[in-house]
């Protein structure tokens, strides 16, 4: 991971998790504000996480899966964990 002009690079794992979070949020018909409130972050931080520009902690991932009614694997993998 590198940086350009002082901006940090995007971690591929954070980008993949963010894309899955956005996809599931939209599939569930939820807005950014609703999920951000469950994660105890601002809507702007939620958008940054969905863009892969912010790292979500394991507690925030757990809160997101709970709010979206998903198993944990749904945000960390595209294949079922069981």
């Amino acid at each position: 991971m590198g940086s350009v002009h002082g901006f940090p690079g995007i971690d591929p794992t954070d980008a993949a998790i963010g894309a899955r979070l956005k996809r599931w949020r939209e599939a569930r018909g939820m807005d950014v504000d609703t999920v951000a409130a469950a994660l105890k972050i601002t809507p702007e931080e939620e958008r940054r996480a969905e863009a892969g520009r912010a790292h979500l902690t394991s507690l925030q991932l757990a809160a997101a899966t709970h709010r979206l009614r998903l198993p944990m694997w749904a945000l960390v993998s595209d294949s079922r964990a069981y």
Side-chain angles (χ1 to χ4, degrees):
M1 177 168 48
S3 65
V4 176
H5 302 291
F7 292 101
I10 295 176
D11 183 298
T13 302
D14 289 339
I17 289 172
R20 288 183 194 104
L21 177 60
K22 182 176 182 177
R23 185 175 66 231
W24 281 109
R25 178 183 59 74
E26 289 175 344
R28 296 285 198 255
M30 292 186 186
D31 61 12
V32 170
D33 295 337
T34 301
V35 177
L39 276 60
K40 296 184 174 36
I41 59 177
T42 66
E44 180 57 33
E45 290 172 314
E46 167 70 11
R47 287 184 198 91
R48 286 182 40 234
E50 289 183 356
R53 297 195 174 276
H55 178 78
L56 295 175
T57 67
S58 58
L59 290 175
Q60 289 170 323
L61 290 175
T65 56
H66 178 75
R67 183 66 184 102
L68 295 168
R69 299 179 183 255
L70 299 169
M72 181 63 90
W73 65 261
L75 293 182
V76 297
S77 175
D78 286 325
S79 357
R80 287 180 174 253
Y82 49 87

